[in-house]
Amino acid sequence: MGSRSGHFLVAGVGVAMFLTASIPGRAFAQDGETIFNGTCKACHTIGGGRLVGPDLAGVSTRQSEAWLIAFIQHSQTVIASGDSDAVALAAEYPGISMPDWPLSDDQVRGVLAYIQQQESAGPAPVAAGAASLQPGDPVLGRNLFQGTTRFDNGGPACNSCHDVTHEDVIGGGILAKDLTTVFTRLGGPGVRAIVGSPPFPVMQRAFQSRPLTDQEVGALVAFLEQADAEQSLHQPLDYGLGLLVTGLGSAVILLGLYSLIWRRRRRGPVNRAVFDRQVRST
Ligand code: HEC
Ligand code: HEC
């Protein structure tokens, strides 16, 4: 009895080993597909055009494998090293820099293999659901953002990690970036793709088992678009006026202070008194 189940176990392990060993290429690209969909797709297409980052179709013909592995694992270090291609890329995408990905060399090779596989399959549609979504309701988006309306699946309110400058929103969290100008920085499709399937580990974990509905994503995107548009209207004026008033105010205060000090110094010069005394004594 015991030895029989033991045999089954050995046989099972053997079959599993045979299966994985016989299709290394496919397992590789499959692994790559999982990584691409979970981590890269929110910002990149393969043949679908620019999203948050560049279209990755043909990337293996543009760069060497070594360069790609280094760049995908720690793009900021490569950019900081002064590599001319990396510097040019960073300049072309000023709104966001690619986060570092803790992937092994082989995992990156798997993603690259998947990208090459997809290239030959023809252009893929832009990130999931991007085209099919209705324009969202910015008021619902605002309420979802600050948690006054709960998400259907119970995910945490966005403002537990993010802040946004908007007249109807009380201050939010500082764990993650302020999203006031995210629409300008990443563009509508990019924001939609990121909110719909977050590529950032912390945010990903928060929504993994409690995904947002399409309606919620649409509403949040509409709200972020509105917040961005409103701040670009108000901000320069408020800022300029505030600066002017503060500047004038402090100038007046400083002038008053200076003249006060100056007057006291002229009226009661210590040195003068000492000098007079000395003149008298001689
Ligand atoms: C949050 C958005 C974002 C995610 C997620 C992301 N990238 Fe990027 N990626 C960028 C941006 C932006 C650039 C342009 C360079 C820069 O500004 O850092 C870039 C550049 C690249 C480049 C260089 C492209 C070229 O034309 O030379 C490669 C390769 C790349 N990313 C691969 C990946 C892979 C693989 C993943 C998933 C593991 C991934 N990226 C995830 C935003 C992202
Ligand atoms: C548990 C914390 C957390 C929650 C909750 C959260 N996020 Fe994020 N979010 C992050 C982190 C971390 C990043 C990575 C970039 C950074 O550090 O800001 C990010 C990035 C983003 C970005 C890309 C910003 C940029 O400029 O690169 C957008 C857009 C975004 N989040 C939207 C949202 C929305 C909308 C919600 C609510 C549905 C939300 N987030 C909820 C943690 C969170």
Side-chain angles (χ1 to χ4, degrees):
M1 178 67 190
S3 87
R4 211 198 248 169
S5 60
H7 280 134
F8 273 123
L9 192 69
V10 169
V13 170
V15 169
M17 279 173 67
F18 170 73
L19 278 178
T20 38
S22 64
I23 44 162
R26 208 156 99 209
F28 218 44
Q30 255 168 14
D31 204 19
E33 177 175 10
T34 312
I35 296 172
F36 186 86
N37 287 335
T39 309
C40 321
K41 201 177 173 178
C43 297
H44 294 287
T45 71
I46 306 170
R50 177 178 176 150
L51 196 54
V52 176
D55 187 338
L56 294 183
V59 76
S60 292
T61 56
R62 294 201 291 273
Q63 298 292 351
S64 71
E65 186 184 90
W67 187 93
L68 288 168
I69 291 177
F71 192 83
I72 291 167
Q73 286 172 346
H74 36 75
S75 65
Q76 298 316 299
T77 314
V78 179
I79 292 167
S81 78
D83 177 281
S84 58
D85 286 347
V87 170
L89 267 175
E92 202 183 329
Y93 295 85
I96 188 169
S97 36
M98 185 163 90
D100 288 359
W101 304 114
L103 300 169
S104 71
D105 290 9
D106 272 351
Q107 282 175 316
V108 174
R109 286 191 191 100
V111 176
L112 295 173
Y114 173 70
I115 292 170
Q116 277 170 326
Q117 197 185 68
Q118 291 304 106
E119 282 164 12
S120 44
V126 186
S132 64
L133 284 171
Q134 303 292 318
D137 170 9
V139 176
L140 173 64
R142 184 193 69 207
N143 292 339
L144 290 168
F145 190 93
Q146 58 179 345
T148 43
T149 299
R150 309 265 311 162
F151 288 115
D152 280 355
N153 294 324
C158 314
N159 79 346
S160 52
C161 297
H162 293 281
D163 198 0
V164 76
T165 306
H166 186 279
E167 48 192 344
D168 299 326
V169 174
I170 350 137
I174 51 160
L175 178 82
K177 274 188 200 154
D178 182 298
L179 297 180
T180 313
T181 59
V182 74
F183 220 84
T184 305
R185 282 190 293 116
L186 307 186
V191 172
R192 188 173 289 264
I194 286 178
V195 177
S197 54
F200 312 102
V202 175
M203 188 171 154
Q204 199 167 45
R205 249 175 276 131
F207 295 100
Q208 205 154 36
S209 56
R210 297 166 288 191
L212 304 179
T213 65
D214 282 357
Q215 192 206 11
E216 288 166 347
V217 173
L220 286 163
V221 173
F223 164 66
L224 289 173
E225 180 173 23
Q226 191 192 59
D228 194 335
E230 281 178 5
Q231 80 84 34
S232 64
L233 271 178
H234 298 320
Q235 194 77 352
L237 190 71
D238 289 345
Y239 202 60
L241 234 111
L243 216 69
L244 194 72
V245 170
T246 327
L248 278 176
S250 33
V252 167
I253 292 171
L254 277 177
L255 279 173
L257 259 167
Y258 284 147
S259 61
L260 217 102
I261 295 164
W262 193 236
R263 272 173 59 202
R264 286 188 60 198
R265 277 185 68 183
R266 278 167 67 194
R267 275 199 186 150
V270 180
N271 289 349
R272 181 80 211 175
V274 173
F275 182 71
D276 284 350
R277 232 182 294 135
Q278 279 174 354
V279 169
R280 251 180 274 131
S281 66
T282 48

